[in-house]
Amino acid sequence: MKKSAAISLLLVSATSLSACSSGLYGALPAKDAAYAIMPPIDKAVAPSEYLIAPGDVVSLMVFGEPDLTFEKLPVDDAGFIQVPLAGPVHVATLTPAQASTLIATKLGARYLRDPQVTLNVIEQPGQTVTIEGQVLKAGTYPVDNQTTLLGAIALAQSPTRIAKLDEVVIFRTVNNTRMAARFDLSRIRAGRDPDPQILGGDVVVVGFSQAKSIYRDFLQAAPIFNVFTRF
């Protein structure tokens, strides 16, 4: 086979495979529909108050009661903390203020007169994003309410050379419903599309470009076949 024909065949194969691979996430919401589900950081509404979650660590102070004051209390997987005299108290999905009032009510019902309770969240290990696919360092990374998609990808040390930048998918659970949306990282990098907010619990998957992979393999094999010499 002539060298020119071999090159043409490789390019056609790369184009065909690229078209086939686009169907993997092709049905997911993109562009405006994607941003309606997962808004950009400048339009995201930060929660007015944090809700305690399993895995958090809280501090508890009962004024004038050193035996009921703790620097660290873990919230177990079921959402409870153990409070002397009050027993197990379910604090998950409550704000710190609501949890403080609940504990004060339990202590005041039988043991203390008008207890003054203050509960604060001091550790939030559950606020992480998982980044998978074509990035240099896939893994789980801490996030806050200012983390964006570009920032999350940077935590994973950027996409690989064979990443499909127009096929970056964010998976998110909203009200117990699993949702997903597709974004174009190249347009976001260029400032042509807004940068979506990343929330704790999100999973980001960077797609794989078969066309780029074939072209990379072709370039690596080129010196062997001497394809860049004059025909």
Side-chain angles (χ1 to χ4, degrees), residues 43-183:
K43 295 183 180 179
V45 178
S48 57
E49 291 187 89
Y50 178 74
L51 301 182
I52 301 168
D56 286 353
V57 178
V58 303
S59 65
L60 178 67
M61 185 186 76
V62 181
F63 183 75
E65 299 291 338
D67 292 339
L68 296 177
T69 296
F70 301 89
E71 292 185 359
K72 290 186 175 183
L73 282 176
V75 182
D76 66 22
D77 292 341
F80 288 86
I81 60 172
Q82 299 295 325
V83 181
L85 301 181
V89 180
H90 191 268
V91 295
T93 72
L94 300 179
T95 67
Q98 291 170 333
S100 299
T101 299
L102 176 60
I103 294 170
T105 300
K106 288 180 175 292
L107 292 174
R110 296 181 59 183
Y111 304 104
L112 301 177
R113 183 176 180 181
D114 192 24
Q116 303 299 306
V117 177
T118 301
L119 181 145
N120 290 303
V121 178
I122 57 174
E123 295 180 20
Q124 304 172 18
Q127 299 302 296
T128 59
V129 59
T130 299
I131 306 173
E132 302 178 351
Q134 291 302 313
V135 289
L136 293 177
K137 192 174 181 180
T140 300
Y141 299 91
V143 295
D144 57 32
N145 60 12
Q146 294 301 308
T147 302
T148 66
L149 178 57
L150 277 180
I153 296 296
L155 292 173
Q157 299 184 7
S158 299
T160 66
R161 292 184 178 181
I162 56 174
K164 189 169 174 54
L165 297 182
D166 62 350
E167 201 168 82
V168 178
V169 180
I170 302 175
F171 295 90
R172 178 175 298 170
T173 300
V174 180
N175 297 325
N176 296 319
T177 300
R178 192 66 164 166
M179 308 184 76
R182 178 166 49 92
F183 298 90

Side-chain angles (χ1 to χ4, degrees), residues 209-224:
S209 173
Q210 290 178 300
K212 287 183 180 180
S213 177
I214 290 173
Y215 186 63
R216 181 198 61 181
D217 293 343
F218 167 69
L219 290 180
Q220 290 174 343
I224 299 174

